[in-house]
Amino acid sequence: TTEWTQYSIVLNVHPKATNIAYGVLVSDAGTVWIDDVQFELVGEKEPTTGSSSQFAPQNPSFEE
């Protein structure tokens, strides 16, 4: 059992984006609880988390 832990993810969202989808992956048996999800605008100088190439949308225009 793990106590509540706050996580933050900072990423760039395309200016013409109309939806943001999010979720949780569980790699083993267990339960995930989510509470107080918030979306906030931050300044351009705020560093993004993770690798941008790892999470970059692939073929967002559906042209390929």
Side-chain angles (χ1 to χ4, degrees), residues 58-64:
Q58 302 298 312
N59 191 25
S61 65
F62 299 102
E63 295 298 322
E64 295 177 16

Side-chain angles (χ1 to χ4, degrees), residues 7-12 46-55:
Y7 291 95
S8 296
I9 300 170
V10 179
L11 51 86
N12 295 319
E46 184 75 26
T48 58
T49 56
S51 168
S52 60
S53 62
Q54 178 184 2
F55 299 108

Side-chain angles (χ1 to χ4, degrees), residues 4-50:
W4 283 99
T5 304
Q6 179 176 334
Y7 291 95
S8 296
I9 300 170
V10 179
L11 51 86
N12 295 319
V13 177
H14 192 280
K16 293 184 179 181
T18 58
N19 296 300
I20 297 175
Y22 64 94
V24 177
L25 297 174
V26 178
S27 61
D28 208 347
T31 303
V32 175
W33 296 85
I34 299 175
D35 192 23
D36 294 329
V37 174
Q38 297 178 5
F39 291 90
E40 298 178 27
L41 293 175
V42 296
E44 291 182 15
K45 293 184 180 182
E46 184 75 26
T48 58
T49 56

